[in-house]
Amino acid sequence: MRTVAAADRKKAVATVALAFASDPMMRWSFPDPARYLAIACDFIDAFGGHAAEHGSAEEIADFAAVALWLPPGIAPDGEAMGAIIGANMPADRMEDGGALVEQMNRFHPKEPHWYLPLIGADPVHQGKGYGSALIAHALRRCDREGLPAYLESSNRANLPLYERHGFRVIGEIQSGSSPTLYPMLRPAR
């Protein structure tokens, strides 16, 4: 496991883009496969790419899996994300998409915390325990700092993984035809 160097930011983002190619929320937002492939890396970079600038993007097994953690006080690039969504999300989903963002903002902790916007493994490497290793490694940092960790799971199947690491579902986020997001918090230890 190693910290992603700034020069490898695009490689890290590409791994996450592969991991999210069948993600329920990502594909609801960008259902056209050609459009998803065209914008996925830019969207993922806007959502979690700042982790590379802050030394909190981590990879394992030569980019088989990547976790993009945002440290306290660092947020996704909402302006870039909004532009990508505005230009690429189907018009009939925009209102529900806006409602999702509002709900996400309500659940997102206000106190200092580590935020995991994105973690994923290249599909050919899923199921090998890489995601669990990345989470455990980052949570040791959270514990050293005495800070909580927060994420929104966009795939119900991943809830047991996060729960094994001490995260608990604190609500549900859903609007119209959207899939459900599960905000999850792991208290400071």
Side-chain angles (χ1 to χ4, degrees):
M1 181 161 342
R2 71 180 183 89
T3 301
V4 175
D8 290 326
R9 180 174 175 162
K10 286 184 179 182
K11 192 171 186 177
V13 165
T15 296
V16 176
L18 286 172
F20 276 77
S22 62
D23 177 76
M25 186 61 74
M26 189 71 86
R27 295 311 307 281
W28 176 82
S29 300
F30 311 112
D32 179 85
R35 189 164 288 206
Y36 172 79
L37 290 174
I39 58 91
C41 286
D42 289 339
F43 184 80
I44 288 164
D45 191 59
F47 197 10
H50 289 312
E53 299 166 13
H54 296 280
S56 54
E58 298 169 339
E59 64 88 10
I60 191 168
D62 195 27
F63 293 88
V66 170
L68 303 175
W69 285 89
L70 297 178
I74 304 302
D77 184 343
E79 186 176 322
M81 290 172 64
I84 293 166
I85 290 168
N88 294 283
M89 180 182 271
D92 64 347
R93 296 183 182 181
M94 290 295 225
E95 185 175 331
D96 290 334
L100 290 171
V101 171
E102 287 176 19
Q103 291 178 56
M104 289 171 72
N105 289 337
R106 283 199 296 270
F107 280 104
H108 203 102
K110 305 303 181 240
E111 70 274 0
H113 65 283
W114 280 89
Y115 176 42
L116 178 61
L118 297 157
I119 183 171
D122 181 326
V124 300
H125 296 291
Q126 290 176 356
K128 295 181 179 179
Y130 294 145
S132 188
L134 287 166
I135 293 169
H137 176 75
L139 290 177
R140 285 192 290 275
R141 176 183 51 225
C142 293
D143 292 345
R144 280 192 310 273
E145 296 177 5
L147 292 173
Y150 176 77
L151 62 85
E152 297 107 0
S153 179
S154 54
N155 190 334
R156 186 175 184 78
N158 293 334
L159 297 182
L161 165 68
Y162 300 128
E163 289 170 341
R164 282 194 302 274
H165 290 279
F167 285 91
R168 295 291 169 251
V169 173
I170 59 172
E172 293 186 1
I173 298 170
Q174 196 278 328
S175 182
S177 66
S178 82
T180 302
L181 283 173
Y182 301 91
M184 302 185 79
L185 182 67
R186 180 185 182 265
R189 294 187 179 173

